[in-house]
Amino acid sequence: MEQFVSADTLRERFSQAMSVMYQQEVPQYGTLLKLVAQVNQQVLAQDRALAERLTAADDLARLSVERHGAIRVGSAQELNTLRQLFAIMGMYPVGYYDLAPAGVPVHSTAFRPLEGDALRRNPFRLFTSLLRLELITEGALRQKAASILAARQIFTPRCLTLIAQHQRQGGLNEQQADEFVREALETFRWHRQTTVDRATYDALHQQHRLIADVVCFPGCHINHLTPRTLDIDRVQALMPQHGITPKAIIEGPPRRCVPILLRQTSFKALEEAVNFRDGSAGCHTARFGEIEQRGVALTPAGRERYDRLLAQAGGGADNQQHQQALAAAFSAFPDSEQALRQQRLAWFEYRLTEQGRRQGISPHADCETLIAQGLLAAEPQVYEDFLPVSAAGIFQSNLGAGARETFSAGAGRAEFEAALGAPVTDEMALYAARQAESLRRCGLSDR
Ligand code: OOG
Ligand code: NI
């Protein structure tokens, strides 16, 4: 029987190829990567405990690989084919994010690995947004956008053949895998040549900048990649010295002793030269670089409290004020692993310690008591998903200072899943299952 290349290996190769391509396309992203690596080295030199934890978790080698990227597509068919393409790399749709209420005419999911082993091997995921054409108010323009999208094919013929072949034979051999990565990459490449004339671009841009970005190009260019930083505040502060203009604020929760969820910031999208079909030249602003720092995943109760405190904190004029307002609001949020466990605000993964295995434990024992006795250990589960308010903030920072119209669109999730051709996995169910499974392995009943 033929040897197939594993999904994890394909994802690893694909994300590497994407990174190389993006650094060539957007040199400033390469500068950001260097800055992030520098700051990571400084943090590790100053924080020996962290360095040891990362080494023990076998995380050090993967510190510099990208954690996520983002793309935007225009039609159900495109989204549906992406689902099939990403499945080959072990990336499945998790979570539903409706950004319309925040003034961004898209809804989204993240294609990502589901299992702990796959995430550890390479966590690369793609935040994928589907444009909601129905939110274009002017009928003629909506029709035009739809027909432009219907006429384009964002996948190479060979890529489609390889997807079908994978589905038939259950995998790809070494040579097909190489070809698959190369062909899949083409879908996400930048094209300086638009598929429309200047007037069409302007009309769509006028409706919403994002609409022009999705509709006017032959592919769905990768619009950013995001490495992991060990100190997001420091990188944000250092960006200007490196000729990089950061967005005004760091999105997400404030800095904490026990980091929660996801903090992210980006640099402003660059103006890039494009050519229109009528031969005229112009520019387009869509592509940027981002960094992220992840913390523990929150339970529904924890998440509800996070959302409430975030709304309460409001926004500050600049990042410093914003972070102060957040810190004040989040003083009401417990900041120790023990409190997060006891109040069931965050998800953990449990394992018996050496002593616990030797001694054995009663299935109904209390977790905190066992931890205090040194029989049980709890590891925070990293948040692997996204935050709609933060995502909207990242989008908005690249959409210019135009008016923020909000859209309201009902039945979003059902429509999205119909376009996708599959349900999205509920992220909470994944964290809950992982915690329950870990308790079961310890011989403890779920609580
Ligand atoms: C996606 C913006 C959201 C994130 O990390 O939350 C995002 C986009 O601009 O297409 O990437
Ligand atoms: Ni992002």
Side-chain angles (χ1 to χ4, degrees), residues 68 70-72 127 129 223-224 264 288 290 386 391 394-395:
H68 83 260
I71 51 175
R72 307 156 182 169
F127 189 87
S129 300
N223 70 52
H224 68 277
Q264 42 193 154
F288 58 98
E290 188 191 20
F386 292 85
I394 299 276
F395 266 110

Side-chain angles (χ1 to χ4, degrees), residues 280-356:
S280 65
C283 68
H284 181 69
T285 319
R287 302 191 308 151
F288 58 98
E290 188 191 20
I291 54 175
E292 63 167 52
Q293 193 168 7
R294 290 180 182 267
V296 66
L298 300 184
T299 61
R303 179 54 188 273
E304 199 207 304
R305 198 174 308 185
Y306 167 79
D307 286 331
R308 189 152 32 84
L309 295 175
L310 187 72
Q312 238 170 54
D318 59 19
N319 189 45
Q320 201 190 342
Q321 281 179 33
H322 182 70
Q323 296 304 321
Q324 273 165 7
L326 283 176
F330 277 82
S331 61
F333 200 103
D335 196 14
S336 74
E337 289 187 13
Q338 188 180 27
L340 291 171
R341 283 195 308 266
Q342 279 174 331
Q343 296 180 41
R344 308 213 169 167
L345 295 172
W347 296 112
F348 288 82
E349 204 164 3
Y350 294 89
R351 63 181 168 78
L352 291 179
T353 61
E354 191 60 52
Q355 195 194 345

Side-chain angles (χ1 to χ4, degrees), residues 47-65:
D47 189 344
R48 293 293 303 273
L50 177 65
E52 270 159 34
R53 252 196 341 272
L54 289 178
T55 311
D58 202 18
D59 253 2
L60 218 45
R62 273 182 305 275
L63 187 55
S64 59
V65 308

Side-chain angles (χ1 to χ4, degrees), residues 28-29 32 239 244-247 266-270 288-289 398:
Q28 188 158 64
Y29 176 65
L32 179 69
M239 276 194 216
I244 304 174
T245 309
K247 77 188 277 301
S266 57
F267 67 72
K268 293 288 192 71
L270 307 172
F288 58 98
N398 290 312

